[in-house]
Amino acid sequence: MERLIIIGGGAAGMTAASWARRLKPNMDITVFESTKMVSHAPCGIPYFTEGLFDDENLFMTYTPEYFVEKRKINVKINSKVEEVDLRSRTLTVRENQGNKKYEFDYLLLSTGAKPKKLNAEGDRIFYVHHPADASYIRQKLWSFDKIAIIGGGILGIEMAEALRARGKKLVLIHRGKYLLNKMLDEDMGKIITDKVGSEIELKLNESLISVTERGRLIVTDKGKYEVDATVVAIGVEPNVDLVKDQLKIGETGAIWADNHMRTSIENVYAAGDSTESINIITKKPDWVPFAPVANKMGFVAGNNIGGKDVTFPGVIETMITKFEEYVIAKTGITENEAKRHNIKTVSATVHHKTRARYYPGSKDIIVKLIAEANTMRIIGAQIIGEEEVLGRLNMMAAVIQKGFTAEELFFVETGYVPPVNRVWDVVTLAARKLYTGISAE
Amino acid sequence: MERLIIIGGGAAGMTAASWARRLKPNMDITVFESTKMVSHAPCGIPYFTEGLFDDENLFMTYTPEYFVEKRKINVKINSKVEEVDLRSRTLTVRENQGNKKYEFDYLLLSTGAKPKKLNAEGDRIFYVHHPADASYIRQKLWSFDKIAIIGGGILGIEMAEALRARGKKLVLIHRGKYLLNKMLDEDMGKIITDKVGSEIELKLNESLISVTERGRLIVTDKGKYEVDATVVAIGVEPNVDLVKDQLKIGETGAIWADNHMRTSIENVYAAGDSTESINIITKKPDWVPFAPVANKMGFVAGNNIGGKDVTFPGVIETMITKFEEYVIAKTGITENEAKRHNIKTVSATVHHKTRARYYPGSKDIIVKLIAEANTMRIIGAQIIGEEEVLGRLNMMAAVIQKGFTAEELFFVETGYVPPVNRVWDVVTLAARKLYTGISAE
């Protein structure tokens, strides 16, 4: 009987396990998960911290028992893989009863990402990453009054929303010139920066020097902040320590894999946040540690392990977050990134509304589209709005992935009904501006 | 100086006028509009009837004065074209001062659509079509107690919402087996039929025999209904009376035009609801009388008249409407239509939610996707949901127009943030079901 071992029971690992099981009903499939949760994703932690729900089991799409009973997958929680030998195809796992050795025919590395750490220690320093820690962190954070958030990326602003809603006094310290500067161009990022800055204390362009006093004293190149606790949200990195000397690591620092999620070692696969991919636009290695990509990589790995030839098309870096009433999204590349890749671009931005002029409750929506100048293919989109952002984002992801020109996007037969749109959709208008070069009303 | 005359100041006509003006600053452009409004669309009438707004000027995107002053377009309202001679390039217009003759070099026929009429007369029979009549109709309808709506298509259910909100006692009489039967397949249409039927009296499978007593007595093949007034919403037809004997009329009954919006007569163009197009999926003539198509046809006509070569890609029949909390949409073809065109299909339907399991306020959303069986290209989508329908509809329009396979749609890098989505988007799940043939949770 073929043995598949999966290290990491997050989105990618459990998706792969499920698809391998469907295709190979007799395969022996074991998942080792170091925490008590599987099929989890950290995306819900800010909303749990905000107090929008209390049951931490809701972080899991399915429970370990579900996988064991319904899908005949051996899920071992609280089981940390201590050592892997890819050559002898064995691994050592620390389980409740002590260390145990396993052999595999197929291995999937879905070890995920881990938060980047400060060079500082203290019981008032909190990293928000794994749902298994969410209850502890929430209980702690709720007990403090003044909290610093280090980092103005997606997690930073989500935690800012959450802690502000809990009535905390916040200071958000960010190294960049504006918030979400890895996700948005400055013109769009400025809108969010102004919004967040109108509600909480914002320190931009500040580099961290030290966090001391157990997490209660922050010193930057511009100031000192005394707080009760520090939340660190300075990004994540691929969790590859277990295998990094035994297989090819890509230039992003994540595990290299081909478009079948095969690593450089035969029958060893990688999927999810631990894994590098290729950017469809730049054709360069890229690393996108978000759940939808992890799930699809897991699908591809599971199918290929199961014997079905399925190809992962690469990534375009779709991102979406929310700060209070603003949903903020991007897909494809920004103008900033395009410059770094020497891609000449043109862009068009349209401020519009989500409902007909006369229909009550109309909200703002802003769309920025970016096209490659010589082909006029759409390569990036940034959207900020109070409703109907998600669908337009996904539309733009489809458009970018398939290489629509601005003209083709303009001519998409969009829908119109007054309660949910304007007759010229904001995306159509932005495409028209790119296509015609005319900024018509 | 070149003279362009445009008959009809609706969406298509005014868009064409504006783009011709941009490209040919010296062209003499005159628009004849028979009513007092231009740049109008009937889509707002149900919401005006519902009482959601009171200013009928809001039906117009721009006023006649705006076009005259800002765009140097001679807009003549209350000016009905009585006769056109395409051979001698002249027309006769009934204006306030009496009939007047005009000559043209270019002509655009954007005469729109008109409601299909009953074979019945009476001052209690109302056709909801032109914004210019909206105030009169609303005032009348508000004064009645019991109202019949004939027709269960888009306008029928929008008027049902409006009049129910005004506290009217309604009976909706529909010839079809379920509501919206030209837009949705039965499985999806049933959901809306049940919803509407739970709130108003619904008579399905009933054929009209007569409407008498000035609109107060309706007789069908199954019953008699005494009401105070009758709203007729049995569809529209292209308004081509003026020219139908002088140029090629397509098999849909609308004016035939090529992909540059040129009719069979040189320098005579057609655009908007009066004009036929080609369906991108079936490659057959099709007629789509909705504002986004009209606007884009107007854009194409205006550009080509202005000397710029722009091609209209054809239509896919995108439709969207709302009944109370349900937004209802479709694009591409239904399974019903596919059968008529002898296209073999497979379909997948997914019932899902719009937010993460743990995020408050999650709403239902249902997506049905239809693929051509032999190519697995997506050719149709039907969506019913309480939020985020519009963007997903537009995504599917892009997907269908460009011929994505189910596999390609599945691999679109969709976005995920808990307040506005699930990690597997409903569209991704439906695509996965089509692509894998497996109905996995």
Side-chain angles (χ1 to χ4, degrees), chain B residues 147-289:
Chain B
I147 300 173
I149 298 171
I150 313 276
I154 287 178
L155 182 62
I157 74 158
E158 289 175 357
M159 289 303 289
E161 171 189 302
L163 294 170
R164 181 171 183 272
R166 300 305 305 181
K168 305 303 170 191
K169 210 166 169 318
L170 298 177
V171 55
L172 195 158
I173 300 165
H174 183 53
R175 199 169 51 176
K177 195 168 154 192
Y178 57 95
L179 297 177
L180 299 175
N181 56 315
K182 288 190 180 158
M183 174 174 169
L184 302 174
D185 287 319
E186 189 168 355
D187 51 348
M188 297 293 277
K190 181 82 170 39
I191 296 164
I192 299 308
T193 305
D194 289 349
K195 165 73 178 167
V196 176
S198 74
E199 305 196 346
I200 67 173
E201 194 184 346
L202 209 54
K203 298 291 172 181
L204 299 171
N205 285 311
E206 293 207 22
S207 291
L208 200 65
I209 291 173
S210 66
V211 178
T212 53
E213 302 284 330
R214 296 161 49 212
R216 294 179 304 163
L217 180 65
I218 296 165
V219 179
T220 72
D221 56 350
K222 292 192 182 148
K224 275 185 190 189
Y225 306 95
E226 284 181 49
V227 292
D228 300 318
T230 297
V231 170
V232 184
I234 55 172
V236 293
E237 55 194 11
N239 192 6
V240 298
D241 296 343
L242 207 55
V243 293
K244 65 169 183 253
D245 302 325
Q246 301 180 61
L247 46 56
K248 184 176 169 186
I249 297 293
E251 56 186 78
T252 65
I255 298 168
W256 176 89
D258 69 9
N259 63 8
H260 286 60
M261 311 320 299
R262 292 178 293 224
T263 70
S264 58
I265 307 287
E266 208 188 338
N267 292 339
V268 175
Y269 290 74
D273 295 357
S274 55
T275 310
E276 182 175 284
S277 185
I278 296 288
N279 188 294
I280 292 172
I281 301 158
T282 64
K283 319 282 187 222
K284 304 239 170 77
D286 197 0
W287 178 62
V288 179

Side-chain angles (χ1 to χ4, degrees), chain A residues 140-429:
Chain A
K140 284 292 193 180
L141 291 178
W142 283 8
S143 74
F144 302 124
D145 182 39
K146 174 145 197 193
I147 300 173
I149 297 170
I150 314 275
I154 287 178
L155 183 61
I157 73 159
E158 289 176 356
M159 287 303 289
E161 172 189 302
L163 294 170
R164 180 171 183 272
R166 300 305 306 182
K168 305 302 169 192
K169 212 165 166 318
L170 298 177
V171 54
L172 194 159
I173 300 165
H174 183 53
R175 199 168 53 174
K177 197 168 155 191
Y178 57 94
L179 297 177
L180 299 175
N181 56 316
K182 290 192 180 158
M183 174 175 168
L184 302 175
D185 287 319
E186 189 169 357
D187 51 348
M188 297 293 278
K190 181 83 169 42
I191 295 163
I192 299 308
T193 306
D194 290 348
K195 165 73 179 167
V196 176
S198 73
E199 304 197 345
I200 68 172
E201 194 183 347
L202 209 55
K203 300 290 172 181
L204 299 171
N205 286 312
E206 292 206 24
S207 292
L208 200 65
I209 292 174
S210 66
V211 179
T212 54
E213 303 285 329
R214 297 161 49 209
R216 294 179 304 163
L217 179 65
I218 296 165
V219 179
T220 73
D221 57 349
K222 292 189 181 149
K224 276 185 190 191
Y225 307 94
E226 286 181 48
V227 293
D228 299 318
T230 297
V231 170
V232 184
I234 56 172
V236 292
E237 55 194 10
N239 193 7
V240 298
D241 296 343
L242 206 54
V243 292
K244 66 170 184 253
D245 302 324
Q246 301 181 62
L247 45 55
K248 183 175 168 187
I249 296 293
E251 56 184 76
T252 64
I255 299 168
W256 177 89
D258 69 9
N259 62 9
H260 286 61
M261 310 321 299
R262 293 180 291 225
T263 69
S264 57
I265 307 288
E266 207 188 338
N267 291 341
V268 175
Y269 290 75
D273 295 359
S274 55
T275 311
E276 182 175 283
S277 186
I278 296 289
N279 188 295
I280 292 172
I281 301 158
T282 65
K283 319 283 188 222
K284 304 239 170 77
D286 197 0
W287 179 61
V288 179
F290 294 110
V293 167
N295 273 322
K296 282 170 197 142
M297 283 180 165
F299 174 89
V300 172
N303 272 277
N304 282 296
I305 291 167
K308 191 155 186 275
D309 184 352
V310 173
T311 303
F312 186 71
V315 293
I316 57 171
E317 293 196 6
T318 302
M319 302 178 190
I320 180 165
T321 180
K322 184 178 93 67
F323 181 80
E324 299 182 350
E325 70 272 30
Y326 286 14
V327 179
I328 308 145
K330 87 103 182 176
T331 181
I333 72 176
T334 61
E335 284 186 297
N336 277 345
E337 289 162 348
K339 261 180 219 135
R340 271 207 308 281
H341 290 283
N342 289 315
I343 301 171
K344 234 191 130 209
T345 57
V346 287
S347 76
T349 303
V350 172
H351 292 243
H352 209 50
K353 293 280 183 177
T354 57
R355 304 180 186 190
R357 209 171 321 101
Y358 46 75
Y359 200 90
S362 192
K363 304 281 199 307
D364 289 317
I365 188 161
I366 308 166
V367 169
K368 176 177 182 172
L369 297 184
I370 296 154
E372 190 182 31
N374 61 336
T375 62
M376 287 309 281
R377 285 193 194 284
I378 307 289
I379 57 171
Q382 294 165 52
I383 311 178
I384 298 172
E386 297 180 46
E387 60 183 5
E388 293 282 355
V389 170
L390 186 271
R392 288 184 173 99
L393 172 72
N394 289 353
M395 179 196 191
M396 291 313 305
V399 159
I400 290 168
Q401 224 158 308
K402 191 81 171 181
F404 281 58
T405 63
E407 178 182 354
E408 288 172 327
L409 177 56
F410 168 73
F411 277 114
V412 169
E413 191 180 317
T414 50
Y416 168 56
V417 69
V420 297
N421 206 3
R422 293 241 162 141
V423 59
W424 289 104
D425 187 81
V426 59
V427 168
T428 307
L429 286 179

Side-chain angles (χ1 to χ4, degrees), chain B residues 403-440:
Chain B
F404 282 58
T405 62
E407 178 182 355
E408 288 172 327
L409 177 57
F410 168 73
F411 277 114
V412 169
E413 191 180 317
T414 49
Y416 167 56
V417 69
V420 297
N421 207 2
R422 293 242 162 141
V423 59
W424 289 103
D425 188 80
V426 58
V427 168
T428 306
L429 286 180
R432 192 178 75 182
K433 209 164 157 182
L434 277 179
Y435 163 46
T436 63
I438 293 171
S439 172

